Structures are given as structure tokens and as C-alpha cells.
Amino acid sequence: VSTPQQPEGDVHVRECCAESIMMLAATEAGRMALWKVNAPELLRKGYEYELAPGVCRALEAAAEHFITHQNEDGMGILDGSEETKDGAGEA
């Protein structure tokens, strides 16, 4: 995932990492582990600087898992107003 200090790098590696996070977020145990390390906030910050479409799609899918399951997981509060890179709002 990109950061303001290092927005470049191997897109394939970032995409694989984002897809791995997405897969973890799809499971209850994975989401719980990710919540414990504040992953939703860290992913949001990284998403701000990400330009690669594949990475963005995987991060958006991971965020959707957090949003969809936040009440049943009993973790965090996400408002569901994240905006995708194409400008469409996520709910």
C-alpha cells in the first residue's frame, strides 16, 4: 500500500498484499486480527495515496468486509461513506 513518502514501488507486490488483506477481512478471525492492529484506519490512509486500480479494488473490497461486519464483530465504527477512486460512494 502506498504512502506519501513512498508512493511508488512494485505494483504487483502491493496488489498481492492488498488482496491478502481482503481475504483475511473476509473471515471473522481475520477481521478480528486486523481490527486489533487498527487495519481499517491504516488501509484508509494508504488508500489515499494509492493509484494502482488493482490495489484500490482490493482495498475497497477489504473495507466493504469491515463495513458489512462491524456490528457482528463488535469492533470499531465505520460510517460507510468511503469514496472509491472513481468517485462513486461506497455504502
Side-chain angles (χ1 to χ4, degrees):
V1 179
S2 293
T3 65
Q5 295 81 17
Q6 191 173 23
E8 297 300 318
D10 190 333
V11 173
H12 182 70
V13 171
R14 291 197 320 274
E15 188 168 343
C16 288
C17 288
E19 288 172 350
S20 296
I21 293 167
M22 174 188 69
M23 296 304 294
L24 285 170
T27 68
E28 182 179 0
R31 279 191 311 280
M32 297 304 286
L34 290 168
W35 274 114
K36 288 179 182 179
V37 296
N38 200 27
E41 180 62 16
L42 296 171
L43 294 174
R44 184 192 64 77
K45 288 179 180 178
Y47 182 84
E48 290 178 16
Y49 302 101
E50 188 56 65
L51 300 175
V55 178
C56 291
R57 280 191 295 275
L59 293 176
E60 290 163 8
E64 190 62 35
H65 288 298
F66 286 112
I67 292 166
T68 300
H69 298 285
Q70 66 184 344
N71 290 332
E72 58 194 65
D73 290 344
M75 301 295 285
I77 297 176
L78 298 174
D79 65 13
S81 65
E82 285 74 16
E83 189 171 292
T84 63
K85 292 291 180 181
D86 63 7
E90 292 285 314

